[in-house]
Amino acid sequence: MVGAGVLGLPSAMVYLGWPAGVTIMTLSWIATLYTLYQMCALHEVAGRRFNRYHELGQYAMGRRAGLWTVIPCQLIVMIGLDIVYCVTAGKSMQFLYHHTCSGWRQGTCAPFGLSAWIVVFAAIQMILSMTPNFHKLSAISLLAAIMSIGYSTIAIGVAGHAGKQPGTEYNLDGYTRAKGVFGIMNSLGTIAFAYGGHNVVMEIQATIPSKPTAAKPNPTCAPMMVRVYSAYLTLVPLP
């Protein structure tokens, strides 16, 4: 839930300003939390578990319509996320390499471009994707959660410590109309990207053991939502 998208929220505030920025982030927080609850609540229906999005879509809209409605949207989201994370991770690895190489300032470090670092990161992800049991990646998931909370806390702490800098203006003065419009649209996308988790929530809920009864036809919903609420409460102070 707390992903790299939260690091883009300060830049979104530049174009939206405080009133509109906080309002849109709050509305996005509410909307994404509600839709995520809907998916968790529909994970088990009439004793059947829907572990994939297209399965739930086919149940709701029919075999053919559900498949062709869900799969294209899911592919667009997943491919887009893959590109974003590969480029972001590649830039981070390149930055780390430059600043750990002793000859970086003298220009004597071996040249290793961004494309090469993206390939390195993608190769690591391909190896991890071949893990037959995702429970074996629990340590990596824990480390990722700690890192997400860590860099979010660092971002808040640094901004709070620096305070408002002299000459800072929270408006679009000095921007052209075209740059302002594109900046606002990009900010809306940044906010939508910050509140994630929907693309994997059903697969995550599928890992929770389930023993449905007449009183509790969807017993995995409550424990899943406890984790969701915990993640979303972490996101509250980030704006």
Side-chain angles (χ1 to χ4, degrees):
M1 303 297 174
V2 187
V6 298
L7 297 178
L9 293 179
S11 64
M13 299 294 290
V14 172
Y15 292 95
L16 296 175
W18 281 103
V22 173
T23 299
I24 293 173
M25 278 191 276
T26 302
L27 293 175
S28 179
W29 187 90
I30 295 172
T32 53
L33 178 59
Y34 176 67
T35 53
L36 203 152
Y37 164 75
Q38 287 182 315
M39 286 190 289
C40 291
L42 293 172
H43 179 71
E44 290 188 69
V45 179
R48 180 183 175 186
R49 301 187 73 174
F50 300 104
N51 299 333
R52 301 291 183 269
Y53 282 94
H54 68 85
E55 295 175 357
L56 181 58
Q58 288 175 311
Y59 177 82
M61 295 179 284
R63 186 175 182 84
R64 183 181 296 272
L67 184 66
W68 287 101
T69 300
V70 173
I71 292 297
C73 296
Q74 193 173 14
L75 286 176
I76 291 172
V77 171
M78 297 305 297
I79 293 173
L81 285 176
D82 288 342
I83 294 173
V84 169
Y85 279 117
C86 282
V87 173
T88 303
K91 287 183 177 180
S92 300
M93 295 173 73
Q94 185 183 43
F95 180 84
L96 182 63
Y97 169 71
H98 284 166
H99 286 76
T100 53
C101 179
S102 58
W104 172 63
R105 296 187 182 278
Q106 293 76 23
T108 57
C109 293
F112 212 58
L114 176 60
S115 299
W117 285 114
I118 293 175
V119 172
V120 170
F121 176 76
I124 296 173
Q125 299 308 303
M126 288 181 65
I127 295 173
L128 292 176
S129 67
M130 297 178 187
T131 304
N133 186 351
F134 279 95
H135 289 291
K136 295 181 180 179
L137 300 179
S138 56
I140 297 178
S141 298
L142 177 61
L143 178 62
I146 295 174
M147 291 176 62
S148 297
I149 297 175
Y151 61 61
S152 300
T153 304
I154 291 172
I156 296 173
V158 170
H161 177 73
K164 183 177 180 179
Q165 299 299 304
T168 302
E169 296 292 339
Y170 297 97
N171 54 54
L172 295 179
D173 293 344
Y175 290 93
T176 63
R177 177 173 298 181
K179 187 174 182 180
V181 171
F182 280 110
I184 291 172
M185 299 302 293
N186 185 60
S187 298
L188 296 176
T190 299
I191 293 174
F193 181 60
Y195 300 97
H198 293 68
N199 55 319
V200 293
V201 64
M202 299 194 75
E203 285 83 354
I204 294 175
Q205 191 170 350
T207 64
I208 303 176
S210 175
K211 293 182 178 180
T213 62
K216 291 184 177 181
N218 187 1
T220 61
C221 182
M224 184 67 186
M225 288 307 301
V226 170
R227 293 160 175 79
V228 170
Y229 291 141
S230 300
Y232 267 71
L233 288 176
T234 305
L235 284 169
V236 170
L238 295 182

